[in-house]
Amino acid sequence: MRIDEPARLLATRALIYAVILAASPVLLAVGAPIRRRYLRYVHRDDAPQIVGKENGSVSFHYGVVTNPLLHWLCRPTEFLIGLARRSRQAAS
């Protein structure tokens, strides 16, 4: 999607927020593993660029990766995973 299309960018942002809000119960429960897999998928070696500066385009993935609501909803499970790892290391 082109950067010089503000209406389309706004509609995409609104759609991203709507999808994240609809998936919020799932994200609160298991958000960290889902987010980690998604980031691995977006940043894999053969993936297209998220921001194409040469042609002035932005991928849909940029809006998802930089969304603060998604990051906030995944924090509880990231915290719990960190606690489990620390307790497992302390036990061994």
Side-chain angles (χ1 to χ4, degrees), residues 6 22 31 52-53 59 71 76-77 89:
K53 291 183 180 179
S59 172
H71 180 70
T77 51
Q89 288 174 352

Side-chain angles (χ1 to χ4, degrees), residues 15-69:
L15 178 65
I16 290 170
Y17 272 101
V19 169
I20 289 174
L21 284 174
S24 62
V26 174
L27 291 173
L28 282 170
V30 290
I34 292 172
R35 185 169 183 259
R36 244 185 263 125
R37 280 193 198 119
Y38 180 73
L39 289 174
R40 244 185 275 133
Y41 170 76
V42 169
H43 294 295
R44 69 189 189 279
D45 289 337
D46 58 341
Q49 292 290 323
I50 293 176
V51 178
K53 291 183 180 179
E54 305 85 36
N55 56 5
S57 65
V58 176
S59 172
F60 180 80
H61 298 293
Y62 177 78
V64 177
V65 170
T66 59
N67 191 299
L69 181 61

Side-chain angles (χ1 to χ4, degrees), residues 73-84:
L73 287 172
C74 293
R75 290 200 67 175
T77 51
E78 288 174 2
F79 177 73
L80 291 174
I81 288 172
L83 279 178

